[in-house]
Amino acid sequence: MSTLEVSPLESSSGRPGEPVINDFSIQVATVNGSGSQTANSVLLRALFQMGIPVSGKNMFPSNIAGLPTWFTIRASKDGYIARRKEIDFLVAMNPETAREDVLKLDSGAAVVYDEPLGLKELRSDVHFYPVPFDKLVAPVCPDAKLRKLVRNMIYDGVVAWLLSIEMPEVRKALVKQFGKRKAKAAELNWGAAQAGFDWAARTLTKTDPYIAERMNATAGKVIIDGNSACALGAMFAGVTVVTWYPITPSSSLVESLMGYMKRFRHDPETGKATYAIVQAEDELASIGMALSAGWAGARAMTSTSGPGISLMSEFIGLGYYAELPAVIFDVERVGPSTGLPTRTAQGDLLKNAILSHGDTRHPMLFPSSPGECFSMTGEAFDLAEKFQTPVFVMTDLDLGMNNWMADPFPYPERPIERGKVLTAEDLNRLGGFARYEDVDGDGVGYRTLPGTNHPGAAYFTRGSGHNQKAQYTEREDDYVNNVDRLADKFETIRKHVPRPVVELNPKATIGLVAAGSSDYAVRESADQLRREYDTETSYLRLRAYPFTQELTDFIRRHEKVYVVDQNRDGQLVALMRLEFEAELIARLCSVRYYGGLPLDARTVTDEVVRQEGL
Amino acid sequence: MSTTVTPPPKKVNRIGLEVLNYKGSKTTLCAGCGHNSISERVVEAFYELGVEPWKVAKFSGIGCSSKSPAYFLGQSHGFNSVHGRMPSVATGAMLANRNLIGLGVTGDGDTASIGIGQFMHMVRRNVPLIYIIEDNGVYGLTKGQFSATADVGSTLKTGAANELPPFDCCALALKWGATFVARSFSGDKKQLQILLKAAIAHKGLAVIDVISPCVTFNDHDGSTKSYAYVKDHEEALHELDFVPFYEEISVEIPEGQVRDVELHDGSHLRIRKVGRDFDPTDRLAALSALEEAEAKGEVLTGVLYLNTSKPTFLELLNMVEEPLATLPESRVRPPAAALHEVMEELR
């Protein structure tokens, strides 16, 4: 076994020799398909179980096996869980990227690497820990075929020793990860983790400053990805028809929904399902089925990403014009076209707001956390049925597919709202109805469901011109009246969408505005601006489109408002420019990131500093 | 002494409804359009069977054919959707309410061109639906372009000839899973009415391809979808008779010449052999009969295939008996304990 010779180094963060506790990022560089996901999740969970705030970001390729993958874990005693650009602790397992990964590190970082890669010669200002993985894995894993997978657990053991991660927590995380049914696999992997830990304890001398120390900041919390949270939201919102077509990064939303529905949505006596989940032949069919199921009275949804939304565009225009309820999850990824299918962006905002030909407007909700993925999904179903229109739930790959700490979701208190649906009894009382008549002055007509036992229940739904009675028309006044009513309806929707979160700072002259997963980086950036540049900011986090009065007031209150976008063209700020008067538009500044990785605070801070001339 | 004039009793069907209850608004299609005849047969079939109109949901895509659901069953909900996507629209509504009687009407442009993908997947799923293709081989609303069912050599009014082979929607439906496949001619009132009644009684997907001449753009000498051509080349496979479930079967079936197929609701479809010996439960035989007819330029009409045992898409989904659409909150929102259980697992 090799002995380690490392020249004493000074840490870049903190004073020389002083430990850096619970404030570091670990990056594991592996090859896609090598089974590192389990090992990475176990590390993440072990830190979480030690009470340390963590986040995990998987940067994976669009490939089944063979291309490079990076998994980044950030531990932050201050609770910052946005991606951090700087890597403090690299686990270099991928020969293809190891050199570049090491050369990118800041001085003072630590590197655990597969010994044959010989990385030590690359530079002298980082801490190197070579590990003979092949030698270590052979004794603990007699089955050669499994060694490729099991060797990942060895780095868990080595990293645990180096960072002082408690091994009982590693074991607990491992058992949780494998579940009761895979106890044998759990034991095999536990053996490997222990071997790594024991070897490190015997062989290595720790020279880097990074230390994990038990704290109490995660008590009661759960770890969940946004897609699973949306799935739970849909199940507890009483979804009945789910149609979808597989696409990264949204597939796991419906896949986890299938798992939950199988457990909780079968009639206990008959075993029959109170739902239908259909994998359609494409996105055109999945949205067609969802909208029509909504038309027929189901709580219907579909889930997709940008390319799927592009295909759905025609149908969503029908949904708007014929007034059909459905919830559409758009787990955004990098476009245009196929783009970067496994990288994150918020690049569908402008498109979805006005999706389809002609004059259309669609509500969008912007959850920023798993908790909001859960609660806003419920709100989306209510909005869709109350306002008889397609509603988008906008998340992104970062929120949807990565694991997040979250408070347990509170059970929905309010009953489900199904909107204006007339029954046969209602029709007997009323004598009849006109489908698109604005009876209540809110732009929302009354509808009936097919199968309603009444001779006056039927109406004819169409995407062609229609009057109040849903009859075909090409008359100028009928058309104008109808689309004006739809505009009125959108104004009603504006009063009912989730309000933004506003944090006013009386000392601030500049404001920050963001939506969805940008929240974490923007909050951290506000702290950086205060700490490093003595600059105070207010913050408004948008939770929905159409925008509400709070945004207008916020812009009015600040000299400059920085709108943070995860796309090249500033789509969120563009939507504001479409609505606001010139005086307000003049205050809007744009901060954009579009490299495909989860947004980090430094990118936001640097851009605000540049534009402010700080 | 006064005399009161008693009006003659109105003619009603077995559930007390007049034929008026089954009619729709006035057609806006051309006079003589085959589609109008089909609409009339739909009215008759539903009236005579005594189907409650409110149980029916009508679906269509875009085109002349897709306008026609407005012209029948005015007391049924209708959904005129987007071009070629009616199968998904019908599927979605049937998922939401499995008790509906789904009736889809499309054209050859809708089904065989822009919507062939959705058509094939609907066939594959055996969605319970009556699916009528009003097939005239031409785009009418855009003024006379070829569709994908136009025969090789058939010409447009301009004289332009079609050189590409047609899709035979019946052959496609047969091969990939429809459980009721028929072809008819809009001018053959009796046959079409019986086929519609049998389709209503059938539980799975019933595809009826109805040759329906376009009097404006495709009823000339070079067309193989003209009234004259079909009248000359139609070869009925059999004579059909339909005995509804509410009528007692009294007539004895003559041996050999007649097949009596019981449909899902207890109705009977009687298939009387005319020309060739034809077994409508033999899919392969149906396919080869279509091939032979095509080679001879004949239009084979009647029931090509019938399968009363294959489960429908809705049956495969193992859903509750009631419509999903109207399940109460107590059945679709799991209790707080369920959420608690999931949250505990994620700690």
Side-chain angles (χ1 to χ4, degrees), chain A residues 219-240:
Chain A
K221 290 190 188 293
V222 300
I223 289 186
I224 188 169
D225 59 276
N227 281 352
S228 298
C230 286
L232 283 169
M235 178 169 74
F236 286 95
V239 69
T240 45

Side-chain angles (χ1 to χ4, degrees), chain B residues 50-281:
Chain B
V51 176
E52 290 101 325
W54 56 269
K55 283 188 174 170
V56 181
K58 305 172 290 183
F59 308 99
S60 63
I62 293 292
C64 292
S65 56
S66 288
K67 288 180 163 210
S68 69
Y71 314 139
F72 55 78
L73 300 181
Q75 292 183 10
S76 305
H77 275 74
F79 194 153
N80 179 199
S81 64
V82 290
H83 202 14
R85 322 287 175 217
M86 182 269 271
S88 66
V89 170
T91 304
M94 298 308 291
L95 291 169
N97 186 344
R98 62 183 306 171
N99 293 346
L100 293 173
I101 297 164
L103 171 61
V105 178
T106 81
D108 38 300
D110 235 20
T111 292
S113 295
I114 188 169
I116 194 158
Q118 291 213 346
F119 173 64
M120 292 316 310
H121 284 276
M122 171 194 64
V123 164
R124 177 174 172 246
R125 292 189 181 104
N126 192 27
V127 175
L129 183 72
I130 304 151
Y131 188 95
I132 301 169
I133 306 165
E134 300 187 341
D135 189 353
N136 56 19
V138 74
Y139 288 89
L141 267 185
T142 51
K143 304 200 186 297
Q145 299 80 20
F146 282 124
S147 85
T149 65
D151 291 301
V152 175
S154 71
T155 58
L156 291 180
K157 274 179 129 180
T158 58
N162 175 45
E163 289 169 350
L164 297 175
F167 278 125
D168 183 331
C169 295
C170 287
L172 293 172
L174 266 167
K175 178 71 185 87
W176 300 113
T179 44
F180 181 116
V181 182
R183 175 161 282 144
S184 191
F185 170 46
S186 64
D188 189 340
K189 290 185 184 181
K190 180 169 180 276
Q191 187 197 52
L192 181 54
Q193 201 206 84
I194 290 169
L195 284 174
L196 285 167
K197 285 179 180 171
I200 295 167
H202 180 68
K203 193 177 62 175
L205 177 66
V207 172
I208 309 178
D209 182 50
V210 188
I211 308 301
S212 175
C214 172
V215 287
T216 306
F217 294 108
N218 208 14
D219 197 28
H220 49 82
D221 287 348
S223 166
T224 56
K225 300 259 192 296
S226 66
Y227 278 111
Y229 186 92
V230 183
K231 274 178 187 154
D232 286 352
H233 295 81
E234 181 186 4
E235 196 205 341
L237 281 164
H238 29 234
E239 272 180 20
L240 295 173
D241 200 7
F242 181 80
V243 185
F245 68 93
Y246 53 83
E247 272 180 23
E248 217 172 308
I249 307 165
S250 50
V251 185
E252 288 226 353
I253 306 166
E255 268 190 41
Q257 297 298 302
V258 173
R259 285 180 69 97
D260 189 80
V261 185
E262 184 169 340
L263 298 164
H264 299 94
D265 67 349
S267 313
H268 288 254
L269 182 66
R270 287 187 171 164
I271 302 168
R272 189 186 311 271
K273 185 176 106 181
V274 284
R276 65 182 84 198
D277 195 12
F278 188 79
D279 175 4
T281 62

Side-chain angles (χ1 to χ4, degrees), chain A residues 34-70:
Chain A
S34 64
S36 58
Q37 188 71 18
T38 305
N40 299 334
S41 300
V42 165
L43 270 185
L44 179 83
R45 273 212 154 267
L47 288 164
F48 171 78
Q49 286 161 197
M50 286 173 67
I52 307 164
V54 282
S55 64
K57 309 277 185 205
N58 191 14
M59 278 153 268
F60 59 104
S62 179
N63 153 267
I64 290 171
L67 288 179
T69 295
W70 295 268

Side-chain angles (χ1 to χ4, degrees), chain A residues 14 18 50 263 321 411 454 527 553 563 613:
Chain A
E18 201 159 287
M50 286 173 67
R263 284 173 64 185
Y321 193 44
Y411 188 71
H454 192 283
D527 289 350
D553 296 343
V563 181

